[in-house]
Amino acid sequence: MYKGPEVLSFWRLALLSSIRDNGPDLTSRQMYILLTIYMSQPPHTVRGLAAQMQVTKPVITRALDSMEKLGFLKRAPDESDKRSILIQRTVKGAVFLRDFADTIEDPALTAE
Amino acid sequence: MYKGPEVLSFWRLALLSSIRDNGPDLTSRQMYILLTIYMSQPPHTVRGLAAQMQVTKPVITRALDSMEKLGFLKRAPDESDKRSILIQRTVKGAVFLRDFADTIEDPALTAE
DNA sequence: GCAATATGTTTCGTTGCCGAAATGATAGCA
DNA sequence: TGCTATCATTTCGGCAACGAAACATATTGC
């Protein structure tokens, strides 16, 4: 585990790599949602994410809109409760996260 | 060093803590600038940061405006070249970063 | 001294996110 | 059947960020 100044150093270099990477720059909330979809067990719903993050549901809806437009995830109807939707992964989203992990893990990849 | 999925897990939990923290939510660029001011040797100038981050100068100017308004840093004139400014630390900025480090280091701090 | 260059800021128009409130659709319950 | 609650979305006005270009000021070089 990183401790003290180390964690800030890591965070700083990771940010720099990601800033220079010229990919779509997601907000913290968008990034957290994306990571959750890919790293945590389904099902994922708007209300579930909103509760977890302690934000309102429109925040989730809008973040999903943005990332669905990018092709990083997709919505699917929940047949057992038609008020709900299920948020699902896409290949493009998986690739994006894989690249992101590589980028922040090894800052040299985007060094000048 | 974190590797593979680990780095994403760490990043995800750190984001969640920071989202729930109810502090000012800085953009990636703002956060990187702030970390640089506090962790890297002065002098720090607009042009220097812009070059480092590979962004345009207005991006830096506006980020400095935001964070100066928050009291996280201050501008000081460079007497040796009056076209330049020097970006300096503040107590409030140091406290913010210290809290941020604590928060992302120990997600339990903001657990429900 | 004066044109060319460099620094940081401001302006312009655009885009995107925010919270709060209202809406449409579905489900639960009596 | 109706009433209420829940889920997600949309709307509204406001705020903040973006890139590109123009700007004011200061410095450099001929």
Side-chain angles (χ1 to χ4, degrees):
Chain A
M1 252 320 197
Y2 286 107
K3 283 295 168 192
E6 274 185 27
V7 74
L8 290 185
S9 279
F10 168 73
W11 199 265
R12 176 172 170 250
L13 293 178
L15 283 178
L16 180 59
S17 302
S18 129
I19 289 165
R20 288 172 140 186
D21 200 31
N22 282 327
D25 55 330
L26 307 181
T27 64
S28 299
R29 292 167 175 198
Q30 291 170 348
M31 192 65 188
Y32 176 77
I33 290 172
L34 195 59
L35 284 166
T36 299
I37 304 306
Y38 283 82
M39 305 187 64
S40 174
Q41 286 305 314
H44 300 292
T45 62
V46 173
R47 71 185 176 288
L49 289 169
Q52 206 175 126
M53 297 167 64
Q54 301 176 353
V55 298
T56 59
K57 288 191 289 183
V59 167
I60 308 297
T61 294
R62 287 182 294 233
L64 295 181
D65 289 343
S66 304
M67 291 186 292
E68 200 170 26
K69 196 180 301 178
L70 290 170
F72 289 173
L73 51 79
K74 59 187 174 188
R75 289 167 162 104
D78 179 347
E79 293 303 338
S80 73
D81 183 341
K82 294 192 173 177
R83 292 171 304 179
S84 279
I85 61 158
L86 302 176
I87 309 164
Q88 299 183 329
R89 305 171 190 182
T90 63
V91 172
K92 197 170 174 190
V95 169
F96 173 81
L97 282 185
R98 177 54 186 252
D99 288 350
F100 175 76
D102 289 346
T103 295
I104 66 174
E105 201 170 77
D106 184 2
L109 290 179
T110 44
E112 201 169 354
Chain B
M1 252 320 198
Y2 285 109
K3 283 294 169 191
E6 272 185 28
V7 75
L8 290 185
S9 280
F10 168 72
W11 199 264
R12 175 170 171 253
L13 293 179
L15 283 177
L16 181 59
S17 301
S18 126
I19 289 165
R20 287 172 140 185
D21 201 30
N22 282 327
D25 54 332
L26 307 182
T27 65
S28 300
R29 293 166 175 198
Q30 290 171 350
M31 192 65 189
Y32 176 76
I33 290 170
L34 195 60
L35 284 167
T36 299
I37 304 307
Y38 282 82
M39 306 186 64
S40 174
Q41 286 304 315
H44 301 292
T45 62
V46 172
R47 70 185 177 289
L49 289 169
Q52 205 175 129
M53 297 168 64
Q54 301 177 352
V55 298
T56 59
K57 287 189 293 180
V59 167
I60 308 297
T61 294
R62 287 182 294 235
L64 295 182
D65 289 343
S66 304
M67 292 186 293
E68 199 170 27
K69 196 181 302 178
L70 289 170
F72 289 173
L73 52 79
K74 59 187 173 187
R75 290 168 161 103
D78 178 348
E79 294 302 338
S80 73
D81 182 343
K82 293 192 176 178
R83 292 172 303 180
S84 279
I85 61 158
L86 302 175
I87 309 163
Q88 301 184 327
R89 307 172 188 181
T90 63
V91 171
K92 198 170 173 190
V95 169
F96 173 80
L97 282 185
R98 177 53 186 254
D99 288 350
F100 176 77
D102 289 346
T103 296
I104 67 175
E105 201 171 77
D106 184 1
L109 289 179
T110 44
E112 199 169 356

PDB file of all heavy atoms in Angstrom, chain A residues 47-63:
ATOM      1  N   ARG A  47     -30.182   3.417  -9.281  1.00  0.00           N
ATOM      2  CA  ARG A  47     -30.386   3.683  -7.850  1.00  0.00           C
ATOM      3  C   ARG A  47     -29.249   3.114  -7.007  1.00  0.00           C
ATOM      4  O   ARG A  47     -28.819   3.724  -6.034  1.00  0.00           O
ATOM      5  CB  ARG A  47     -31.724   3.116  -7.404  1.00  0.00           C
ATOM      6  CG  ARG A  47     -31.777   1.611  -7.336  1.00  0.00           C
ATOM      7  CD  ARG A  47     -33.178   1.100  -7.006  1.00  0.00           C
ATOM      8  NE  ARG A  47     -33.222  -0.363  -7.042  1.00  0.00           N
ATOM      9  CZ  ARG A  47     -33.160  -1.102  -8.145  1.00  0.00           C
ATOM     10  NH1 ARG A  47     -33.016  -0.511  -9.333  1.00  0.00           N
ATOM     11  NH2 ARG A  47     -33.214  -2.422  -8.096  1.00  0.00           N
ATOM     12  N   GLY A  48     -28.741   1.932  -7.408  1.00  0.00           N
ATOM     13  CA  GLY A  48     -27.652   1.305  -6.660  1.00  0.00           C
ATOM     14  C   GLY A  48     -26.401   2.166  -6.682  1.00  0.00           C
ATOM     15  O   GLY A  48     -25.779   2.409  -5.637  1.00  0.00           O
ATOM     16  N   LEU A  49     -26.056   2.639  -7.852  1.00  0.00           N
ATOM     17  CA  LEU A  49     -24.864   3.476  -7.968  1.00  0.00           C
ATOM     18  C   LEU A  49     -25.057   4.790  -7.220  1.00  0.00           C
ATOM     19  O   LEU A  49     -24.140   5.274  -6.551  1.00  0.00           O
ATOM     20  CB  LEU A  49     -24.557   3.738  -9.439  1.00  0.00           C
ATOM     21  CG  LEU A  49     -24.033   2.521 -10.216  1.00  0.00           C
ATOM     22  CD1 LEU A  49     -24.023   2.813 -11.709  1.00  0.00           C
ATOM     23  CD2 LEU A  49     -22.626   2.168  -9.735  1.00  0.00           C
ATOM     24  N   ALA A  50     -26.243   5.356  -7.335  1.00  0.00           N
ATOM     25  CA  ALA A  50     -26.503   6.634  -6.669  1.00  0.00           C
ATOM     26  C   ALA A  50     -26.341   6.491  -5.155  1.00  0.00           C
ATOM     27  O   ALA A  50     -25.746   7.350  -4.494  1.00  0.00           O
ATOM     28  CB  ALA A  50     -27.906   7.130  -7.016  1.00  0.00           C
ATOM     29  N   ALA A  51     -26.857   5.386  -4.623  1.00  0.00           N
ATOM     30  CA  ALA A  51     -26.754   5.168  -3.179  1.00  0.00           C
ATOM     31  C   ALA A  51     -25.301   4.973  -2.769  1.00  0.00           C
ATOM     32  O   ALA A  51     -24.829   5.553  -1.786  1.00  0.00           O
ATOM     33  CB  ALA A  51     -27.586   3.949  -2.782  1.00  0.00           C
ATOM     34  N   GLN A  52     -24.604   4.170  -3.534  1.00  0.00           N
ATOM     35  CA  GLN A  52     -23.216   3.871  -3.234  1.00  0.00           C
ATOM     36  C   GLN A  52     -22.360   5.143  -3.217  1.00  0.00           C
ATOM     37  O   GLN A  52     -21.492   5.317  -2.368  1.00  0.00           O
ATOM     38  CB  GLN A  52     -22.706   2.928  -4.325  1.00  0.00           C
ATOM     39  CG  GLN A  52     -21.570   2.030  -3.918  1.00  0.00           C
ATOM     40  CD  GLN A  52     -21.246   1.073  -5.064  1.00  0.00           C
ATOM     41  OE1 GLN A  52     -20.113   0.999  -5.504  1.00  0.00           O
ATOM     42  NE2 GLN A  52     -22.250   0.365  -5.568  1.00  0.00           N
ATOM     43  N   MET A  53     -22.635   6.022  -4.186  1.00  0.00           N
ATOM     44  CA  MET A  53     -21.813   7.213  -4.322  1.00  0.00           C
ATOM     45  C   MET A  53     -22.353   8.387  -3.515  1.00  0.00           C
ATOM     46  O   MET A  53     -21.700   9.426  -3.423  1.00  0.00           O
ATOM     47  CB  MET A  53     -21.735   7.602  -5.804  1.00  0.00           C
ATOM     48  CG  MET A  53     -21.073   6.547  -6.652  1.00  0.00           C
ATOM     49  SD  MET A  53     -21.331   6.865  -8.417  1.00  0.00           S
ATOM     50  CE  MET A  53     -20.459   8.415  -8.616  1.00  0.00           C
ATOM     51  N   GLN A  54     -23.534   8.223  -2.979  1.00  0.00           N
ATOM     52  CA  GLN A  54     -24.180   9.305  -2.244  1.00  0.00           C
ATOM     53  C   GLN A  54     -24.366  10.536  -3.112  1.00  0.00           C
ATOM     54  O   GLN A  54     -24.036  11.666  -2.722  1.00  0.00           O
ATOM     55  CB  GLN A  54     -23.383   9.643  -0.970  1.00  0.00           C
ATOM     56  CG  GLN A  54     -23.253   8.439  -0.033  1.00  0.00           C
ATOM     57  CD  GLN A  54     -22.394   8.726   1.192  1.00  0.00           C
ATOM     58  OE1 GLN A  54     -21.775   9.769   1.304  1.00  0.00           O
ATOM     59  NE2 GLN A  54     -22.360   7.770   2.116  1.00  0.00           N
ATOM     60  N   VAL A  55     -24.888  10.309  -4.309  1.00  0.00           N
ATOM     61  CA  VAL A  55     -25.247  11.408  -5.206  1.00  0.00           C
ATOM     62  C   VAL A  55     -26.684  11.160  -5.669  1.00  0.00           C
ATOM     63  O   VAL A  55     -27.249  10.093  -5.417  1.00  0.00           O
ATOM     64  CB  VAL A  55     -24.316  11.489  -6.435  1.00  0.00           C
ATOM     65  CG1 VAL A  55     -22.884  11.763  -6.010  1.00  0.00           C
ATOM     66  CG2 VAL A  55     -24.404  10.208  -7.264  1.00  0.00           C
ATOM     67  N   THR A  56     -27.256  12.140  -6.365  1.00  0.00           N
ATOM     68  CA  THR A  56     -28.627  11.979  -6.834  1.00  0.00           C
ATOM     69  C   THR A  56     -28.672  11.139  -8.115  1.00  0.00           C
ATOM     70  O   THR A  56     -27.675  11.027  -8.827  1.00  0.00           O
ATOM     71  CB  THR A  56     -29.267  13.354  -7.104  1.00  0.00           C
ATOM     72  OG1 THR A  56     -28.484  14.021  -8.090  1.00  0.00           O
ATOM     73  CG2 THR A  56     -29.304  14.184  -5.836  1.00  0.00           C
ATOM     74  N   LYS A  57     -29.840  10.604  -8.397  1.00  0.00           N
ATOM     75  CA  LYS A  57     -29.951   9.750  -9.579  1.00  0.00           C
ATOM     76  C   LYS A  57     -29.706  10.468 -10.904  1.00  0.00           C
ATOM     77  O   LYS A  57     -29.109   9.878 -11.809  1.00  0.00           O
ATOM     78  CB  LYS A  57     -31.315   9.042  -9.573  1.00  0.00           C
ATOM     79  CG  LYS A  57     -31.400   7.961  -8.514  1.00  0.00           C
ATOM     80  CD  LYS A  57     -32.625   7.097  -8.672  1.00  0.00           C
ATOM     81  CE  LYS A  57     -33.875   7.847  -8.312  1.00  0.00           C
ATOM     82  NZ  LYS A  57     -35.084   6.991  -8.399  1.00  0.00           N
ATOM     83  N   PRO A  58     -30.146  11.707 -11.052  1.00  0.00           N
ATOM     84  CA  PRO A  58     -29.835  12.374 -12.329  1.00  0.00           C
ATOM     85  C   PRO A  58     -28.345  12.408 -12.633  1.00  0.00           C
ATOM     86  O   PRO A  58     -27.939  12.367 -13.792  1.00  0.00           O
ATOM     87  CB  PRO A  58     -30.397  13.783 -12.128  1.00  0.00           C
ATOM     88  CG  PRO A  58     -31.530  13.591 -11.196  1.00  0.00           C
ATOM     89  CD  PRO A  58     -31.088  12.502 -10.247  1.00  0.00           C
ATOM     90  N   VAL A  59     -27.535  12.481 -11.609  1.00  0.00           N
ATOM     91  CA  VAL A  59     -26.084  12.450 -11.825  1.00  0.00           C
ATOM     92  C   VAL A  59     -25.696  11.149 -12.521  1.00  0.00           C
ATOM     93  O   VAL A  59     -24.888  11.143 -13.464  1.00  0.00           O
ATOM     94  CB  VAL A  59     -25.335  12.571 -10.476  1.00  0.00           C
ATOM     95  CG1 VAL A  59     -23.866  12.222 -10.637  1.00  0.00           C
ATOM     96  CG2 VAL A  59     -25.504  13.969  -9.910  1.00  0.00           C
ATOM     97  N   ILE A  60     -26.288  10.065 -12.080  1.00  0.00           N
ATOM     98  CA  ILE A  60     -25.974   8.765 -12.689  1.00  0.00           C
ATOM     99  C   ILE A  60     -26.518   8.697 -14.117  1.00  0.00           C
ATOM    100  O   ILE A  60     -25.797   8.296 -15.047  1.00  0.00           O
ATOM    101  CB  ILE A  60     -26.577   7.613 -11.859  1.00  0.00           C
ATOM    102  CG1 ILE A  60     -26.168   7.735 -10.388  1.00  0.00           C
ATOM    103  CG2 ILE A  60     -26.157   6.270 -12.441  1.00  0.00           C
ATOM    104  CD1 ILE A  60     -24.702   7.629 -10.133  1.00  0.00           C
ATOM    105  N   THR A  61     -27.755   9.111 -14.291  1.00  0.00           N
ATOM    106  CA  THR A  61     -28.355   9.086 -15.629  1.00  0.00           C
ATOM    107  C   THR A  61     -27.494   9.844 -16.627  1.00  0.00           C
ATOM    108  O   THR A  61     -27.205   9.353 -17.723  1.00  0.00           O
ATOM    109  CB  THR A  61     -29.763   9.720 -15.584  1.00  0.00           C
ATOM    110  OG1 THR A  61     -30.608   8.889 -14.796  1.00  0.00           O
ATOM    111  CG2 THR A  61     -30.349   9.840 -16.978  1.00  0.00           C
ATOM    112  N   ARG A  62     -27.064  11.027 -16.236  1.00  0.00           N
ATOM    113  CA  ARG A  62     -26.267  11.838 -17.167  1.00  0.00           C
ATOM    114  C   ARG A  62     -24.894  11.239 -17.419  1.00  0.00           C
ATOM    115  O   ARG A  62     -24.380  11.290 -18.538  1.00  0.00           O
ATOM    116  CB  ARG A  62     -26.141  13.261 -16.628  1.00  0.00           C
ATOM    117  CG  ARG A  62     -27.439  14.035 -16.765  1.00  0.00           C
ATOM    118  CD  ARG A  62     -27.287  15.451 -16.266  1.00  0.00           C
ATOM    119  NE  ARG A  62     -27.033  15.492 -14.839  1.00  0.00           N
ATOM    120  CZ  ARG A  62     -27.747  16.208 -13.974  1.00  0.00           C
ATOM    121  NH1 ARG A  62     -28.741  16.948 -14.389  1.00  0.00           N
ATOM    122  NH2 ARG A  62     -27.449  16.217 -12.711  1.00  0.00           N
ATOM    123  N   ALA A  63     -24.318  10.654 -16.388  1.00  0.00           N
ATOM    124  CA  ALA A  63     -23.012  10.016 -16.576  1.00  0.00           C
ATOM    125  C   ALA A  63     -23.155   8.816 -17.521  1.00  0.00           C
ATOM    126  O   ALA A  63     -22.308   8.588 -18.389  1.00  0.00           O
ATOM    127  CB  ALA A  63     -22.433   9.573 -15.237  1.00  0.00           C
TER     128      ALA A  63
END
